[in-house]
Amino acid sequence: MTATPEKPADAGFRMPPEWAPHERTWMAWPSPNPTFTNDEELAEARDAWGSVARAVSGFEPVTLVVSPGDTEGARAVVGAGDKHPIEIVERELDDAWMRDIGPTFVTSAQGELAAVDWTFNGWGAQEWARWDNDSKIARHVSDLAGTRTFSTPLVNEGGAIHVDGEGTVLLTDTVQLGEGRNPDWTREQVEREIHAHLGTTKAIWLPYGLAGDYGTYGTQGHVDIVAAFARPGVVMVHTQPDPAHPDHERCKFIAALLRASTDARGRQLEVVEIPAPTVLEEDGEWVDYSYINHYQCNDGIVLCAFDDPRDEEAAEIFRGLFPERTVQLVDARTIFAGGGGIHCITQQQPKV
């Protein structure tokens, strides 16, 4: 399939919210790379990714993209799937963060599916990152899904956006406007390109992400670990109760900013605070453990767990927000050690 110069919004496409029905979930299988420094870490990562794949397959089908030759090993870890199948396809990979390297799917009122292929450059061309293969994954997934593809020169990732399905998108200054991504773009140019590809009309900008997201394997401020819409007009926000952690003040500011914001339809946002786990540091560095980085799939919520007293507290908040969904906790500490969470390794394909 070939790209078209037409913008998705011009053709009537928009990005559905994550809670809309899914056709399937796409994931990528960890390959040897700088994120996983040795065989033991790679094996631990594969076990963690496999746990997420199995959890999601309890709610909807999963397609797992693996590097050539890794099919047998991946199948041994993930199995055939729970209530729904886990399919495996082979494509060359560098890393395993499908939210960021995969396409952002959009749909039209006529029931057509399409894919947005953002420009991917290793989270701002970070020194450790490799992306020759990953920069092509969005196109591969789009082709496998049988959709048309809209490409854009904007450097962006799926974890750097969150939409409410009614015209509002959350963005972060240090990501879309960061020096490593789009140094020559103005805020207005970024918004115009985002809206043209997501079908949104209003952007709410956060000034930064969590402190730990600026470490070695950080994304420089992805919004999907800080804030996420629960439904139109309601946004969940990460909070850090402990004043010793640098996120304590960051999160207070972000929560206040969002409470003072209105969405694309003029509604004042309702903010639901989700307290961080009690652990503050790991290996001498501030952690960015966050329950915000969850994944909504059909009839379910796959929620990050950290073997922490606040795991169940967070699960109860999510059950209250999503009473029609089953909340399933999955240990995400190994995933966070690699630079992300459950949302970061999953990508929804909407049902049309």
Side-chain angles (χ1 to χ4, degrees), residues 57-292:
S57 74
F59 302 102
E60 62 190 66
V62 176
T63 299
L64 184 65
V65 180
V66 308
S67 293
D70 278 349
T71 294
E72 185 176 345
R75 179 61 72 193
V77 174
V78 303
D82 191 351
K83 294 181 180 178
H84 301 273
I86 299 176
E87 301 174 353
I88 295 180
V89 296
E90 292 190 355
R91 294 294 186 276
E92 295 285 355
L93 287 166
D94 296 307
D95 218 318
W97 308 95
M98 184 57 85
R99 176 68 50 178
D100 297 339
I101 65 177
T104 296
F105 286 104
V106 292
T107 61
S108 73
Q110 291 70 42
E112 185 181 356
L113 180 72
V116 176
D117 177 14
W118 309 105
T119 295
F120 179 74
N121 74 344
W123 301 278
Q126 298 194 51
E127 290 184 4
W128 57 268
R130 302 195 307 247
W131 60 90
D132 283 351
N133 295 315
D134 283 354
S135 64
K136 303 179 182 70
I137 288 298
R139 174 75 53 168
H140 288 318
V141 170
S142 174
D143 288 346
L144 289 165
T147 69
R148 64 193 292 197
T149 306
F150 295 93
S151 294
T152 167
L154 184 73
V155 179
N156 188 44
E157 302 93 35
I161 55 176
H162 208 279
V163 302
D164 67 351
E166 294 189 356
T168 316
V169 60
L170 302 177
L171 306 173
T172 313
D173 286 347
T174 56
V175 177
Q176 285 86 7
L177 295 175
E179 284 296 317
R181 288 181 171 91
N182 304 294
D184 300 324
W185 292 61
T186 66
R187 184 185 299 267
E188 292 72 22
Q189 288 172 323
V190 169
E191 285 194 17
R192 193 179 309 122
E193 193 74 357
I194 289 282
H195 294 330
H197 285 80
L198 300 183
T200 48
T201 57
K202 178 169 184 176
I204 299 175
W205 290 84
L206 307 186
Y208 38 63
L210 300 186
D213 201 18
Y214 295 85
T216 302
Y217 298 124
T219 69
Q220 312 304 305
H222 270 189
V223 73
D224 70 348
I225 201 170
V226 185
F229 287 106
R231 55 184 177 270
V234 180
V235 62
M236 300 175 288
V237 179
H238 178 82
T239 61
Q240 175 50 259
D242 196 321
H245 196 293
D247 285 335
H248 178 71
E249 291 300 325
R250 282 174 176 252
C251 293
K252 283 173 61 177
F253 183 87
I254 290 171
L257 183 155
L258 288 168
R259 283 195 178 95
S261 299
T262 54
D263 63 17
R265 299 200 176 185
R267 289 172 294 216
Q268 197 84 25
L269 290 180
E270 176 187 343
V271 171
V272 178
E273 297 189 4
I274 312 290
T278 59
V279 62
L280 301 181
E281 296 180 62
E282 188 69 35
D283 297 328
E285 295 185 356
W286 297 114
V287 298
D288 56 357
Y289 291 169
S290 171
Y291 300 108
I292 297 297

